[in-house]
Amino acid sequence: MKSTIEPYLPPEDSLPCFCFVLPELQYPSRMNLSQILLDKNYKERGGYPAILYRNTVLTYKELSHKVNRLADSLLKMGIRKWDRVMLRIPNSPEFIISQLAVNWIGAISVPTMPLLKARELLSIENAVEPRAVIVGSGLTEEVEKARARFKSIQYFMGVNDETSPLPPGYIDFRELIDHGRNSIEPDRGNKDDPVLVLHTSGTTGLPKGALHVPSGLLGGTDVFGKYCLQLRKNDVIGGHPSMAFAYGNYGLIMLPFRFGITSSIIDSFRPEKMFETVEKHKITILFSVPTAYRTMLSILPSASKRFNLHSLRLLVSAGETMNEQLYYQLKELLPQVDVLEHIGCTESYAAICSSRPGMVKPGSMGVAAPGVEVKIFDEKGEECPPFVPGLLAFKGPMGFRYWGDPERQKQTVRKGWNYTGDVAYKDTDGFFWYISRSDDVIKSAAYRIAPQEVEMVINEHLSLIHISEPTRPLYISYAVFCLK
């Protein structure tokens, strides 16, 4: 077990250029991220609900105490600053408590997707060398398959969800909470010390660790929450995206606690359950993905009569392109909502581009988020003119940092620009339009043909949708020509 994190950090000469151009994005040099998210809310909104989960209400005061208690127990176990703690927990209050407690003591949380198998867990364990793991009792099977081959994990902690027992040798999560103190001093590190490692989905190989620091997490969250979502003090953000992904992590943890509002956690997606939770928790901002919105749409006409959905004011979408047809169908059935599409990635954490209320072009990713500079480059590094597709890159208060992968660091950060691996184009109004991942593009006769664009054109023809505005560049026409 290495005693320092230095070998895992990106080389300084390959780090991106961080641009904190907005005055409110200037942060103190020493800080503790969990303390920033909890202390002010504890003092000013202690009795206000921080987390709603099923029939459970957890106030900011209760959340702060649980985080401190777990942090104290982790310290007593021997978990220290820079140690990594792997999280394999479904969406639940325990996920949030664990991530905040790990960061409270200066350790690094490493969430993992529930769907990962033993092979991927071994790859992550080998790369980040966690000292401990916290597992939901329903997610222990793959951990147990890999357990004999784990090299660094010394402590196995389990969250008993009462549906399946914990295997032998697991420390019960509730006992850790029960035996800790309500208040301990947080570790205040540098604003650029790593606190979180999120892993990519593994679509181009094994998951890759994206390293995040407090200044970047706060910068992306502050921009998206204030300017794009325009959060209000009575907002309730709800959703089902896994908090092991960036989308769910900032949507259900960073945004609510940074702005002192409520997080409504949905542990799995079922349309009826979503509508029931919206009504029960009075969700105002729903985080989901186009595939889920399509599924919800199939029962929305009847559901809108059975459930009170009038609390909703924003539907937030990411993860894949929301086409114009889906946008207008949602608006027709929920006329009071704004439907906001945006794009970020595991490495950027929060949004790079986003729509905003009153600033929407259906089907686009929106405009550059305030404080973030976004450009489209060709393969030579020259900026592309409007409507010409190229590589999406950005500069901002957040940037790409990879855990123990200097080669990938150099490939994705060029001259201070973070290259997302996405192909897109920009129109003359400053809106960005997604085409595909760069490794999905089909090149033919100097044209770029994206599978998603071919699919979109087919769907438009099949559903007889008429696009009156000629906003699509030539490559779509070429894709249709190929289909003929």
Side-chain angles (χ1 to χ4, degrees):
M1 180 75 183
K2 293 180 176 64
S3 60
T4 175
I5 60 166
E6 290 302 323
Y8 302 101
L9 302 181
E12 288 192 11
D13 60 356
S14 66
L15 287 175
C17 173
F18 296 99
C19 306
F20 294 86
V21 296
L22 300 174
E24 61 266 44
L25 301 185
Q26 306 301 319
Y27 304 109
S29 59
R30 308 290 294 181
M31 67 167 68
N32 180 281
L33 181 63
S34 294
Q35 182 185 31
I36 286 176
L37 298 179
L38 292 178
D39 272 16
K40 183 179 179 181
N41 293 320
Y42 179 89
K43 295 171 184 175
E44 298 179 2
R45 297 167 75 81
Y48 193 82
I51 299 173
L52 302 176
Y53 177 65
R54 298 178 181 172
N55 295 317
T56 299
V57 179
L58 204 62
T59 67
Y60 272 106
K61 183 177 181 180
E62 292 167 333
L63 174 61
S64 182
H65 285 167
K66 287 179 181 292
V67 168
N68 273 260
R69 288 173 186 172
L70 180 57
D72 186 43
S73 291
L74 293 175
L75 284 173
K76 290 174 182 175
M77 289 170 57
I79 306 298
R80 293 291 183 266
K81 187 179 181 69
W82 305 133
D83 284 343
R84 277 75 73 192
V85 179
M86 185 186 291
L87 309 182
R88 184 170 169 78
I89 312 171
N91 279 11
S92 62
E94 289 79 11
F95 188 113
I96 296 175
I97 293 165
S98 298
Q99 179 167 310
L100 295 176
V102 168
N103 296 159
W104 192 272
I105 63 174
I108 302 169
S109 55
V110 187
T112 61
M113 281 294 294
L115 292 178
L116 293 183
K117 300 298 183 183
R119 173 175 173 266
E120 289 87 2
L121 293 176
L122 278 167
S123 171
I124 292 172
E125 195 263 357
N126 183 61
V128 301
E129 297 190 86
R131 196 171 178 199
V133 61
I134 306 176
V135 192
S137 60
L139 294 171
T140 58
E141 182 179 355
E142 297 301 320
V143 174
E144 289 301 294
K145 288 179 182 178
R147 186 169 181 174
R149 288 176 285 171
F150 284 153
K151 297 177 181 178
S152 63
I153 298 178
Q154 300 174 10
Y155 303 102
F156 291 79
M157 293 164 272
V159 179
N160 197 332
D161 61 10
E162 299 178 358
T163 60
S164 53
L166 289 169
Y170 281 70
I171 304 168
D172 192 285
F173 187 88
R174 288 174 297 187
E175 292 183 8
L176 294 170
I177 297 288
D178 291 342
H179 290 101
R181 292 176 292 167
N182 274 346
S183 179
I184 67 168
E185 191 69 18
D187 178 273
R188 294 180 183 85
N190 189 283
K191 66 178 181 180
D192 293 322
D193 286 345
V195 293
L196 178 68
V197 177
L198 294 173
H199 282 81
T200 61
S201 59
T203 54
T204 57
L206 289 170
K208 300 168 183 65
L211 186 156
H212 294 284
V213 302
S215 60
L217 296 175
L218 289 169
T221 299
D222 287 349
V223 162
F224 190 59
K226 180 177 180 179
Y227 295 102
C228 300
L229 299 184
Q230 301 170 15
L231 292 176
R232 306 167 185 172
K233 276 298 182 184
N234 63 342
D235 273 328
V236 177
I237 300 181
H240 62 91
S242 172
M243 291 185 284
F245 268 165
Y247 185 33
N249 203 277
Y250 74 78
L252 299 174
I253 302 178
M254 282 294 296
L255 279 168
F257 305 152
R258 177 59 169 161
F259 287 86
I261 56 180
T262 303
S263 177
S264 169
I265 306 170
I266 302 170
D267 52 15
S268 60
F269 173 74
R270 294 195 307 275
E272 293 273 352
K273 184 177 181 179
M274 290 286 286
F275 296 134
E276 180 184 339
T277 307
V278 168
E279 179 182 59
K280 184 177 182 179
H281 293 168
K282 294 182 172 55
I283 292 172
T284 61
I285 302 172
L286 184 64
F287 272 56
S288 191
V289 295
T291 298
Y293 283 127
R294 290 186 193 98
T295 306
M296 286 188 278
L297 198 61
S298 64
I299 66 166
L300 187 53
S302 61
S304 60
K305 297 176 183 178
R306 289 184 290 127
F307 299 102
N308 184 349
L309 307 179
H310 288 95
S311 62
L312 286 172
R313 71 177 185 88
L314 297 178
L315 299 182
V316 182
S317 182
E320 59 178 293
T321 301
M322 175 181 282
N323 61 38
E324 293 157 287
Q325 180 186 18
L326 177 58
Y327 172 88
Y328 286 117
Q329 287 173 327
L330 289 169
K331 287 287 291 180
E332 181 180 359
L333 291 170
L334 294 170
Q336 84 277 12
V337 305
D338 283 299
V339 182
L340 305 183
E341 188 168 2
H342 73 294
I343 186 171
C345 54
T346 306
E347 295 91 339
S348 70
Y349 192 70
I352 300 165
C353 302
S354 180
S355 303
R356 302 176 220 169
M359 191 183 292
V360 176
K361 278 193 179 183
S364 85
M365 302 181 290
V367 298
V372 181
E373 187 178 2
V374 184
K375 289 187 177 182
I376 305 294
F377 291 108
D378 63 21
E379 293 177 352
K380 296 180 181 179
E382 300 293 329
E383 187 174 3
C384 297
F387 297 110
V388 174
L391 300 172
L392 182 70
F394 74 94
K395 289 181 181 180
M398 61 285 201
F400 285 17
R401 302 185 187 201
Y402 288 99
W403 181 270
D405 196 343
E407 288 306 312
R408 187 169 184 82
Q409 184 75 27
K410 292 176 182 177
Q411 291 170 8
T412 55
V413 180
R414 309 173 206 167
K415 297 182 179 179
W417 288 91
N418 304 274
Y419 282 75
T420 67
D422 298 303
V423 176
Y425 69 92
K426 180 180 178 180
D427 67 22
T428 50
D429 295 324
F431 283 78
F432 290 84
W433 301 78
Y434 182 82
I435 299 175
S436 74
R437 294 292 295 171
S438 59
D439 45 18
D440 286 342
V441 172
I442 304 163
K443 294 182 181 179
S444 178
Y447 286 91
R448 293 176 180 269
I449 309 168
Q452 290 90 338
E453 292 287 353
V454 176
E455 180 183 0
M456 183 187 72
V457 172
I458 293 173
N459 288 335
E460 288 173 352
H461 280 271
L462 290 176
S463 57
L464 300 178
I465 297 174
H466 175 65
I467 301 177
S468 58
E469 268 188 70
T471 57
R472 299 285 189 253
L474 182 60
Y475 58 82
I476 294 182
S477 300
Y478 185 74
V480 177
F481 174 78
C482 289
L483 293 174
K484 294 178 182 178

